[in-house]
Amino acid sequence: MSAQPVPHLCFLRSLGDIVLYDIIDGLPQGKALDMLESAPVLCVDVSVIGSTDIRISRAPTASW
């Protein structure tokens, strides 16, 4: 079973910014682009980033 439905459902419900990670170059970037291109039609306003670098998911968070 693929883990792809989880970030897609988070995207559809606008649960927050999404980082897609995969070891295959171009795959997470392409999936992120597909999601971002559908955002205006679905009225979704989140950031989606795709990367092959796991360190991108450990970006500093905003302080409250």
Side-chain angles (χ1 to χ4, degrees):
M1 172 146 179
S2 171
Q4 179 60 25
V6 174
H8 188 69
L9 290 173
C10 292
F11 171 77
L12 291 175
R13 298 188 188 274
S14 299
L15 295 180
D17 296 339
I18 299 169
V19 176
L20 301 175
Y21 167 76
D22 204 310
I23 59 171
I24 301 171
D25 191 31
L27 184 67
Q29 295 91 338
K31 290 187 179 203
L33 181 61
D34 289 343
M35 292 169 79
L36 285 173
E37 287 180 343
S38 67
V41 176
L42 300 171
C43 299
V44 174
D45 185 24
V46 296
S47 173
V48 183
I49 300 171
S51 178
T52 55
D53 185 3
I54 191 68
R55 292 175 290 182
I56 194 126
S57 66
R58 297 188 186 129
T61 57
S63 61
W64 297 97

